[in-house]
């Protein structure tokens, strides 16, 4: 339920329930009064009581408005008698406790009862005279001779007319108490569904602002509150992932700097050693000096390759290197790759060949230059770690329903099964071959980045001492 509907429902219940409870309480009151206490408080009696009260009040107001000289005027007294006769009422005028006008014979005791009842602060003002219930209204008088008196207005009514007033008060009190109770209860429910979730959200956000990104934001409450909590939870997860990724990048950067520094130290040390040898006169013949200088140049080129690879890897890692994709015949492309590398491999007595199991001409969308770097890098790795007199590198092409599988297999020294998943890590080299390998240690890491930039996959399969296979999967197109 959303907040708008909940507020409408809450306000509706706050109004309806007090009315329903009040109506039920009123019926119970009427039932108890009429059936249990035998008090007739029907609507007609209620209407009659109100009418009597109104007429008595009007007559009392007329007396208040008259001059003191008119009070003893017989015409005015007759007028008052006619006014209260509508309700079968009577009027008694007292002057200094003496009756000067009386439309009804009444003894002094009953007169005192009327005066006492008039002084009563309650709303009842009912007196019983000769077993008849009268509603009484008393107006104080001041005569022209400064004498003090009273006008007593009487009107017959039923004995329990005052219960109607109690009924009205009862109904009002029941409605007020029920309204307050329901309002407090609905406010509690509303706060439980709105304020409590917001307090939990506030607490969680406070923890997040302090750096605790493991605080899960619970999605409770109404629709808008849950959506708000869901958005904050997504923000927390994204912030956590960003923080984790930043930490990972920082760690990777630290490791990258550490590793490249370690790998650069070896050629720099060699260069320094050969330069010192020249300066110290160790290279005392032209032939020896030329050999020293060639070694220095070779180490400098090695450093240049390492730095180029590092820059390339950084660009690939930050997705800053654009790819120029072209529709390419995969068989023609690998024939070209073999042509580019075969002459160099022949120097090391390594034979390279292509075996295709493709059904006809197949196309892939690739960046020819970037993928060429991957293929030549894999082939060059096979050359470095070749331990057979007659080396063989075979490129197999096969296909699935949606992709082309490229397998580059050699018969070299292979790699331990436990290390096969690590060869695409930066600066990783198998321990057995570390001392003989030259390069940046980023070759296969760069290859992985380039293949993944083609939306492809690259992995390795070890054949123990019979060599290793590097496999690449690329999506094929028509």
């Amino acid at each position: 339920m959303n907040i708008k509907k909940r507020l409408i429902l809450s306000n509706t219940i706050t109004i309806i329930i007090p009315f329903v409870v009040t109506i039920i309480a009123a019926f119970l009151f009427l039932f108890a009064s009429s059936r249990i206490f035998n008090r007739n408080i029907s609507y007609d009696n209620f209407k009659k009581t109100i009418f009597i009260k109104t007429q008595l009040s009007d007559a009392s107001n007329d007396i208040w408005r008259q001059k003191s000289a008119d009070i003893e005027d017989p015409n005015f007294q007759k007028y008052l008698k006619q006014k209260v006769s509508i309700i079968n009422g009577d009027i008694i005028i007292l002057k200094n406790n003496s009756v000067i006008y009386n439309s009804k014979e009444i003894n002094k005791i009953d007169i005192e009862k009327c005066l006492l009842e008039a002084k009563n602060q309650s709303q009842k003002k009912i007196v019983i005279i000769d077993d008849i219930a009268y509603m009484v209204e008393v107006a104080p008088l001041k005569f022209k001779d400064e004498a003090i008196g009273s006008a007593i207005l009487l009107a017959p009514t039923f004995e329990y007319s005052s219960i109607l007033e109690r009924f009205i008060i009862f109904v009002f009190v029941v409605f007020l108490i029920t309204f307050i109770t329901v309002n407090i209860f609905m406010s509690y429910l509303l706060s439980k569904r709105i304020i409590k979730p917001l307090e939990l959200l506030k607490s969680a956000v406070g923890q997040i602002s302090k750096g605790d990104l493991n605080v899960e934001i619970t999605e409770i409450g109404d629709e808008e509150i849950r959506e708000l909590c869901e958005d904050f939870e997504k923000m927390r997860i994204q912030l956590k992932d960003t923080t984790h990724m930043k930490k990972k990048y920082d760690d990777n950067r630290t490791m990258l700097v550490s590793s490249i520094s370690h790998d650069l130290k070896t050629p720099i040390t060699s260069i320094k050693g050969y330069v010192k040898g020249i300066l110290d006169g160790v290279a005392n013949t032209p032939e020896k000096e030329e050999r020293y200088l060639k070694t220095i140049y070779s180490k400098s080129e090695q450093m240049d390759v390492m730095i180029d690879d590092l820059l390339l890897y950084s660009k690939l890692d930050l997705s800053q290197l654009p790819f120029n994709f072209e529709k390419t015949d995969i068989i023609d492309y690998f024939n070209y790759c073999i042509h580019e590398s075969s002459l160099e491999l022949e120097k090391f007595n390594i034979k390279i060949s292509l075996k295709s199991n493709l059904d006809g001409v197949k196309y892939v969308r690739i960046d020819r230059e970037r993928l060429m770097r991957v293929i030549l890098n894999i082939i060059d790795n096979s050359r470095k770690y070749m331990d057979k007199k007659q080396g063989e590198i075979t490129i197999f092409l096969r296909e699935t329903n949606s992709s082309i599988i490229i397998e580059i297999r050699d018969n070299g020294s292979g790699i331990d099964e436990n290390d096969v998943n690590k060869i695409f890590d930066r600066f990783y080299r198998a321990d057995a071959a570390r001392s003989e390998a030259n390069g940046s240690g980023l070759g296969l890491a760069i290859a992985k980045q380039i293949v993944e930039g083609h939306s492809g996959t690259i992995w390795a399969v070890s054949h123990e001492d019979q060599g290793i296979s590097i496999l690449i999967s690329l999506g094929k197109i028509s």
Side-chain angles (χ1 to χ4, degrees):
M1 183 183 296
N2 58 39
I3 295 177
K4 182 180 179 181
K5 290 181 180 178
R6 185 171 294 282
L7 289 174
I8 293 173
L9 180 62
S10 175
N11 292 333
T12 303
I13 290 174
T14 303
I15 297 298
I16 290 177
I17 289 182
F19 272 112
V20 172
V21 172
T22 302
I23 291 171
I24 294 173
F27 275 112
L28 292 175
F29 185 94
L30 294 174
F31 177 81
S33 299
S34 59
R35 297 298 177 87
I36 299 176
F37 299 105
N38 294 320
R39 297 177 179 179
N40 185 7
I41 52 173
S42 65
Y43 174 75
D44 290 337
N45 285 334
F46 176 75
K47 184 178 179 182
K48 180 181 177 182
T49 301
I50 298 299
F51 181 71
I52 292 172
K53 275 183 171 291
T54 303
Q55 290 300 113
L56 289 178
S57 295
D58 287 346
S60 178
N61 290 332
D62 287 342
I63 295 172
W64 271 97
R65 286 192 292 267
Q66 292 301 312
K67 297 179 181 179
S68 59
D70 296 333
I71 299 299
E72 297 179 272
D73 186 353
N75 291 328
F76 179 67
Q77 295 171 354
K78 184 179 179 181
Y79 163 76
L80 291 177
K81 171 58 181 172
Q82 290 176 347
K83 190 171 184 66
V84 297
S85 64
I86 299 174
I87 53 176
N88 296 320
D90 291 290
I91 182 170
I92 302 164
I93 299 177
L94 302 176
K95 181 178 181 181
N96 291 330
N97 293 325
S98 298
V99 177
I100 63 171
Y101 178 80
N102 189 354
S103 64
K104 176 180 176 59
E105 291 296 332
I106 184 170
N107 57 47
K108 289 186 176 182
I109 295 175
D110 290 334
I111 289 175
E112 288 298 325
K113 287 168 60 177
C114 292
L115 293 174
L116 288 173
E117 186 63 31
K119 293 178 182 179
N120 193 354
Q121 296 299 318
S122 71
Q123 296 293 322
K124 184 179 180 183
K125 296 184 180 180
I126 302 292
V127 295
I128 306 299
I129 302 174
D130 298 332
D131 296 328
I132 298 175
Y134 287 90
M135 191 177 294
V136 61
E137 186 80 26
V138 176
L141 299 175
K142 188 175 182 180
F143 295 88
K144 61 181 179 179
D145 57 359
E146 302 299 324
I148 301 300
S150 300
I152 300 174
L153 303 172
L154 298 172
T157 185
F158 59 97
E159 184 180 0
Y160 305 111
S161 60
S162 62
I163 201 170
L164 292 172
E165 298 172 0
R166 296 173 187 171
F167 172 72
I168 294 172
I169 295 172
F170 172 78
V171 168
F172 177 76
V173 170
V174 168
F175 178 83
L176 186 63
I177 293 174
T178 308
F179 179 81
I180 293 173
T181 303
V182 173
N183 195 43
I184 292 173
F185 179 72
M186 294 307 298
S187 298
Y188 169 75
L189 290 182
L190 196 63
S191 66
K192 187 177 180 181
R193 298 294 299 180
I194 297 177
I195 298 177
K196 185 177 179 181
L198 289 177
E199 287 177 347
L200 292 175
L201 177 60
K202 180 182 177 182
S203 175
V205 171
Q207 293 294 107
I208 291 172
S209 66
K210 294 177 182 177
D212 185 2
L213 299 178
N214 294 316
V215 179
E216 184 176 355
I217 298 176
T218 307
E219 298 173 14
I220 60 174
D222 288 322
E223 184 178 336
E224 292 88 347
I225 305 296
R226 291 199 305 272
E227 290 176 355
L228 180 63
C229 292
E230 183 180 355
D231 290 340
F232 269 100
E233 178 66 6
K234 290 179 180 177
M235 182 193 71
R236 181 191 71 84
I237 293 173
Q238 186 174 2
L239 187 60
K240 183 178 180 181
D241 291 343
T242 302
T243 304
H244 176 74
M245 190 62 65
K246 182 178 180 300
K247 185 177 182 302
K248 181 180 177 182
Y249 280 144
D250 289 343
D251 293 342
N252 288 345
R253 192 177 297 111
T254 301
M255 188 182 73
L256 191 64
V257 172
S258 175
S259 299
I260 199 67
S261 299
H262 178 271
D263 281 12
L264 285 172
K265 188 176 181 180
T266 301
I268 289 174
T269 302
S270 297
I271 291 172
K272 286 172 65 179
Y274 283 106
V275 170
K276 191 174 187 302
I278 293 174
L279 293 174
D280 291 344
V282 175
N284 50 15
T285 63
E287 294 80 7
K288 202 171 186 180
E289 183 177 348
E290 182 182 1
R291 182 163 58 85
Y292 274 35
L293 291 173
K294 285 183 177 179
T295 303
I296 291 171
Y297 180 75
S298 173
K299 296 297 181 181
S300 299
E301 281 191 324
Q302 182 183 343
M303 289 174 60
D304 192 44
V305 170
M306 292 172 68
I307 292 171
D308 286 343
D309 284 350
L310 178 61
L311 291 174
L312 176 61
Y313 179 82
S314 298
K315 289 181 179 180
L316 289 168
D317 194 38
L318 297 173
S319 301
Q320 294 180 346
L321 193 68
F323 287 89
N324 181 26
F325 293 107
E326 301 177 43
K327 182 178 179 180
T328 304
D329 182 332
I330 194 67
I331 297 177
D332 286 347
Y333 182 75
F334 274 95
N335 282 328
Y336 175 74
C337 291
I338 290 173
H339 174 74
E340 286 292 306
S341 57
S342 58
L343 291 177
E344 181 67 21
L345 292 175
E346 286 177 1
K347 298 177 183 178
F348 299 92
N349 201 28
I350 298 174
K351 181 181 179 182
I352 185 169
S353 61
L354 175 67
K355 292 185 179 180
S356 173
N357 293 322
L358 302 179
D359 184 15
V361 178
K362 300 297 176 182
Y363 294 95
V364 290
R365 190 175 297 279
I366 59 173
D367 184 320
R368 297 174 63 92
E369 182 180 348
R370 304 294 179 203
L371 192 62
M372 176 70 74
R373 184 184 182 99
V374 173
I375 304 303
L376 295 181
N377 184 278
I378 295 171
I379 293 173
D380 191 54
N381 277 349
S382 296
R383 177 191 64 77
K384 289 178 184 178
Y385 301 119
M386 182 62 66
D387 61 349
K388 306 295 191 298
K389 291 182 179 180
Q390 178 60 57
E392 291 184 3
I393 299 175
T394 306
I395 300 176
F396 297 93
L397 299 178
R398 55 182 182 271
E399 64 181 313
T400 65
N401 291 333
S402 60
S403 60
I404 301 293
I405 307 297
I406 305 156
E407 179 182 0
I408 304 174
R409 177 170 181 172
D410 63 49
N411 65 338
S413 59
I415 190 172
D416 188 88
E417 188 69 31
N418 296 324
D419 295 330
V420 73
N421 294 322
K422 302 177 184 177
I423 63 174
F424 298 101
D425 294 343
R426 295 170 301 184
F427 304 109
Y428 176 81
R429 296 190 186 98
D431 290 338
R434 181 180 293 274
S435 60
E436 299 177 4
N438 293 320
S440 66
L442 290 170
L444 290 179
I446 291 172
K448 182 181 179 182
Q449 293 277 14
I450 292 174
V451 171
E452 289 178 351
H454 284 73
S455 300
T457 308
I458 185 169
W459 70 99
V461 176
S462 175
H463 306 293
E464 297 297 337
D465 58 349
Q466 298 300 314
I468 188 172
S469 291
I470 304 296
L471 295 98
I472 301 172
S473 174
L474 298 173
K476 64 181 180 182
I477 59 175
S478 56

